[in-house]
Amino acid sequence: TGGVVCEGIMHHASTIADLRSIVRRSQEGKRLLKLESAVEKLEMRLLVESRILADDGCFISSLAEGDEVEVQLVCLPESKEVRAVREQKFGIAQWLNDGSEMSRLCRADKEAMVIAVAQNGMSLGCATPELQGDIDIVTCAVRRTGQALKHASPELQANPQIVQLALQRNGQWLKYADESLRGEKSLVMAAVGSNPKALAFASSDLKDDRDVVLQAVS
């Protein structure tokens, strides 16, 4: 059965990949790696406040407020949906819309959707509304395809960090950002700097802002 096997503290300056490396080199991590390979369907997971850390590129500072964040190393049974995906030799993103029972299950399974959006960010559109509001999945999706912001929940379309990630891919995805963020000058400047056509989606005030207009035409 799954359960917490150890706990540790990591400072904000590192990435999740750094954390994962440290855990795997620790005595407990080495023991669990042996257990992971020896016991069928058992996997290691890193969690913060019950949230699976799926994006190794994220900084620890993005996980929680304060000077320290508690991360749990947990042994979890692999879900049948994810196991089925890994046993098959083709990408999950290709068959999320095939109408099968497996497709329905995967659209509601966080681990399966992390795999799907890593393959194709627009697969976020196939996720359940709950998972379209999951910051881990949405972050992974917009990193892969900025246009995936279109399928994020309204709450995450109003998240400046998520929107900024999408704009790094192409400024025109400002059109999917919450209206409140279309009036944020720094975000709009970044958007029009990436794609001048993004000016069309800025707030009325910023469309007439000298700095924004000059950034768009430069």
Side-chain angles (χ1 to χ4, degrees), residues 2 9 11 19 30-31 48 51 55 59 77 83-84 91 103 122 125 135 137 161 170 184-185 188 193 217:
I9 291 176
H11 289 288
L19 171 61
K30 291 177 181 177
R31 185 185 72 81
V48 168
R51 188 155 55 90
D55 190 341
F59 287 95
R83 185 166 66 255
S103 171
M122 293 303 287
I135 194 166
I137 293 175
Q161 288 74 37
N170 191 319
E184 287 289 334
K185 186 170 180 177
V188 174
V217 300

Side-chain angles (χ1 to χ4, degrees), residues 194-216:
S194 169
N195 187 333
K197 293 181 180 179
L199 183 62
F201 309 113
S203 66
S204 298
D205 289 344
L206 290 183
K207 283 179 181 177
D208 296 327
D209 184 275
R210 182 175 182 274
D211 295 334
V212 172
V213 173
L214 286 176
Q215 175 82 328

Side-chain angles (χ1 to χ4, degrees), residues 55 114-123 137-148 165-166 169 173:
D55 190 341
V114 167
I115 295 171
V117 300
Q119 295 171 352
N120 181 346
M122 293 303 287
S123 295
I137 293 175
V138 174
T139 297
C140 187
V142 298
R143 272 213 173 108
R144 179 70 175 176
T145 310
Q147 191 178 4
L165 279 176
R169 308 296 294 185
W173 307 136

Side-chain angles (χ1 to χ4, degrees), residues 25-167:
R25 292 199 306 268
S26 69
Q27 183 176 354
E28 184 67 10
K30 291 177 181 177
R31 185 185 72 81
L32 284 170
L33 281 172
K34 293 179 182 179
L35 185 63
E36 181 183 17
S37 61
V39 180
E40 184 181 6
K41 304 176 186 176
L42 189 64
E43 293 193 339
M44 290 168 57
R45 292 286 186 272
L46 295 176
L47 294 90
V48 168
E49 298 177 352
S50 302
R51 188 155 55 90
I52 295 175
L53 306 186
D55 190 341
D56 282 6
C58 281
F59 287 95
I60 299 297
S61 57
S62 68
L63 303 178
E65 297 180 354
D67 294 331
E68 295 178 341
V69 55
E70 183 181 89
V71 178
Q72 296 177 318
L73 175 64
V74 182
C75 280
L76 295 175
E78 185 179 48
S79 69
K80 64 180 181 180
E81 293 81 19
V82 175
R83 185 166 66 255
V85 169
R86 290 181 178 172
E87 287 173 352
Q88 297 190 54
K89 302 303 181 184
F90 52 88
I92 182 175
Q94 299 177 16
W95 50 270
L96 279 174
N97 283 315
D98 68 1
S100 67
E101 178 67 7
M102 182 60 68
S103 171
R104 184 187 68 79
L105 290 171
C106 285
R107 290 199 299 270
D109 184 274
K110 178 169 180 173
E111 291 181 77
M113 286 308 305
V114 167
I115 295 171
V117 300
Q119 295 171 352
N120 181 346
M122 293 303 287
S123 295
L124 182 63
C126 299
T128 61
E130 179 183 1
L131 293 186
Q132 288 176 344
D134 185 287
I135 194 166
D136 296 326
I137 293 175
V138 174
T139 297
C140 187
V142 298
R143 272 213 173 108
R144 179 70 175 176
T145 310
Q147 191 178 4
L149 182 64
K150 174 182 180 180
H151 300 300
S153 67
E155 292 77 14
L156 291 183
Q157 288 176 340
N159 182 304
Q161 288 74 37
I162 293 292
V163 171
Q164 190 162 22
L165 279 176
L167 298 182

